[in-house]
């Protein structure tokens, strides 16, 4: 079971080239698609989910030619978009039963059993009779996952699923997504590096509609071993440090500003070496892409 995307391109009517010759092969398990807002992630997710057409290219999933037979993919697809509408005055149970019926689960008993099982899985069973307008952001996201899982999909797409969740809700969501990846192809589209490093065995980084890098998060992290350096500075020194060094990121820690630099050798004796993480590799890639665009 795998999803194959070949030479996929999309330009909107306003001239924005959202996707440029995308090529990806995604196997069963959790796959992370990491990129900034506006990188093209949502366009790619909507195209895979058959909600919009591409200008060029092909998508195949487990023998289904998605471009020619979108209706066949929809039978095995679960999709949680970045923003999804709900009926506020309907209970979670009522709406899931309605969606299950539309998904082709016509047997009333089977429909009821599957909805009850999904509500248990996403920890909403005790509040299943409450209207959706009373749900917190995290509860609505878990409801979104429940509707995406109806009819046991083989391909699951979740677009920015943890944005806006508090740490506890995000942790619950991580556990749920990790479980899903055991039996399906799950694509996690996000701008949050932690989501990918926590959950995914394979990943791609996308920027300006192009795939910039693919691989396993651990391999991408360790490619910078021995090359990442950090030091504390006064905020007023930031511009000067950026002129002298390849500063890929800066952040505050315990009220002090830290800068991170990538260099083959120690930049100077005021720096100390740090173990690279996926965020360092991500920022380094974006830093290099920005340099190429300027030049």
């Amino acid at each position: 079971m795998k999803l194959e995307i070949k030479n996929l391109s999309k330009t909107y009517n306003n001239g924005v080239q959202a996707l440029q010759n995308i090529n990806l092969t995604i196997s069963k398990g959790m796959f992370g698609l990491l990129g900034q807002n506006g990188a093209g992630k949502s366009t790619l997710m909507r195209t895979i989910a058959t909600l919009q057409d591409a200008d060029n290219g092909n998508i195949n999933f487990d023998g289904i030619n998605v471009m020619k037979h979108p209706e066949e993919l929809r039978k095995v697809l679960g999709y949680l978009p970045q923003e999804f509408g709900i009926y506020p005055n309907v209970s979670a149970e009522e709406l899931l039963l309605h969606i299950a019926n539309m998904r082709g689960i016509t047997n009333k008993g089977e429909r009821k059993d599957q909805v009850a099982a999904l509500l248990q899985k996403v920890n909403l069973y005790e509040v299943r009779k409450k209207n959706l307008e009373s749900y917190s952001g995290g509860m609505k996201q878990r409801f979104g996952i429940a509707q995406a899982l109806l009819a046991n999909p083989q391909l699951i797409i979740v677009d920015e699923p943890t944005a806006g969740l508090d740490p506890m809700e995000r942790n619950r969501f991580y556990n749920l997504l990790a479980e899903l990846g055991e039996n399906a192809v799950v694509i996690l589209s996000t701008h949050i590096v932690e989501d990918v490093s926590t959950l995914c065995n394979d990943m791609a980084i996308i920027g300006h509609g192009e795939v910039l890098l693919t691989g396993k998060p651990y391999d991408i992290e360790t490619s910078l071993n021995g090359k990442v350096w950090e030091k504390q500075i006064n905020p007023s020194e930031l511009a000067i440090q950026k002129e002298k060094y390849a500063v890929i990121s800066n952040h505050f820690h315990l009220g002090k500003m830290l800068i991170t630099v990538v260099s083959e050798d120690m930049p100077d004796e005021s720096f100390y070496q740090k173990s690279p993480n996926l965020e360092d590799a991500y920022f380094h890639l974006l830093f290099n892409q920005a340099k190429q665009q300027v030049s």
Side-chain angles (χ1 to χ4, degrees):
M1 185 189 302
K2 63 182 176 181
L3 177 72
E4 294 180 288
I5 303 167
K6 295 183 178 179
N7 305 317
L8 200 71
S9 295
K10 173 71 176 180
T11 300
Y12 289 114
N13 292 334
N14 61 5
V16 174
Q17 192 170 13
L19 300 176
Q20 302 181 50
N21 201 39
I22 299 290
N23 289 278
L24 288 171
T25 299
I26 302 172
S27 300
K28 186 167 71 172
M30 290 290 304
F31 183 91
L33 185 69
L34 179 63
Q36 296 175 301
N37 292 330
K41 303 187 306 297
S42 291
T43 297
L44 180 56
M45 297 302 97
R46 288 195 299 269
T47 304
I48 297 170
T50 75
L51 297 178
Q52 66 180 40
D53 295 327
D55 299 329
N56 303 102
N58 292 290
I59 303 173
N60 286 278
F61 177 71
D62 202 27
I64 299 170
N65 185 320
V66 177
M67 305 303 227
K68 291 183 178 179
H69 303 289
E71 73 285 350
E72 291 301 313
L73 183 77
R74 291 169 193 153
K75 294 177 183 178
V76 297
L77 173 70
Y79 180 45
L80 174 60
Q82 186 172 355
E83 295 181 6
F84 63 97
I86 57 171
Y87 295 95
N89 297 318
V90 177
S91 74
E93 184 178 56
E94 288 174 308
L95 188 51
L96 279 181
L97 286 169
H98 176 66
I99 295 171
N101 189 44
M102 292 193 299
R103 293 264 180 95
I105 307 174
T106 54
N107 182 282
K108 188 174 181 180
E110 180 186 351
R111 188 164 64 237
K112 187 175 181 180
D113 288 346
Q114 188 169 148
V115 165
L118 283 174
L119 287 168
Q120 291 278 10
K121 181 185 287 287
V122 300
N123 197 28
L124 291 176
Y125 188 80
E126 298 302 320
V127 292
R128 67 191 183 281
K129 301 292 186 183
K130 290 188 176 181
N131 287 351
L132 289 167
E133 65 180 351
S134 69
Y135 279 17
S136 68
M139 292 165 72
K140 288 175 182 175
Q141 286 292 76
R142 282 185 274 136
F143 173 83
I145 277 289
Q147 64 80 27
L149 294 182
L150 283 166
N152 300 312
Q154 296 173 304
L155 173 62
I156 300 168
I157 298 171
V158 288
D159 194 358
E160 299 285 2
T162 66
L165 300 188
D166 64 43
M168 289 191 66
E169 287 284 8
R170 180 175 293 174
N171 191 54
R172 291 191 194 102
F173 211 73
Y174 284 162
N175 292 336
L176 179 56
L177 289 176
E179 183 181 341
L180 299 180
E182 296 178 6
N183 300 302
V185 174
V186 183
I187 305 175
L188 169 65
S189 172
T190 183
H191 69 281
I192 302 173
V193 178
E194 183 186 359
D195 288 354
V196 176
S197 62
T198 301
L199 289 169
C200 301
N201 293 322
D202 290 286
M203 66 175 293
I205 297 175
I206 186 171
H208 297 284
E210 297 181 272
V211 173
L212 304 177
L213 185 67
T214 61
K216 296 185 178 300
Y218 177 78
D219 293 337
I220 292 173
E221 285 179 17
T222 54
S223 68
L224 289 180
N225 276 349
K227 302 176 184 178
V228 182
W229 310 85
E230 204 166 62
K231 79 169 179 177
Q232 181 180 311
I233 65 167
N234 290 320
S236 60
E237 300 172 16
L238 181 58
I240 296 172
Q241 297 294 324
K242 285 185 173 182
E243 287 182 7
K244 293 175 63 177
Y245 307 114
V247 178
I248 61 168
S249 66
N250 58 274
H251 66 279
F252 281 92
H253 179 68
L254 300 178
K256 306 293 184 181
M257 177 172 278
L258 296 176
I259 61 171
T260 303
V261 168
V262 172
S263 174
E264 293 289 338
D265 304 304
M266 180 186 289
D268 66 46
E269 292 184 356
S270 63
F271 283 87
Y272 57 89
Q273 194 171 94
K274 64 164 288 193
S275 296
N277 54 37
L278 187 59
E279 188 171 77
D280 294 326
Y282 176 50
F283 286 148
H284 183 230
L285 189 64
L286 296 180
F287 175 84
N288 287 337
Q289 187 189 35
K291 274 204 317 183
Q292 290 172 4
Q293 290 173 345
V294 170
S295 59

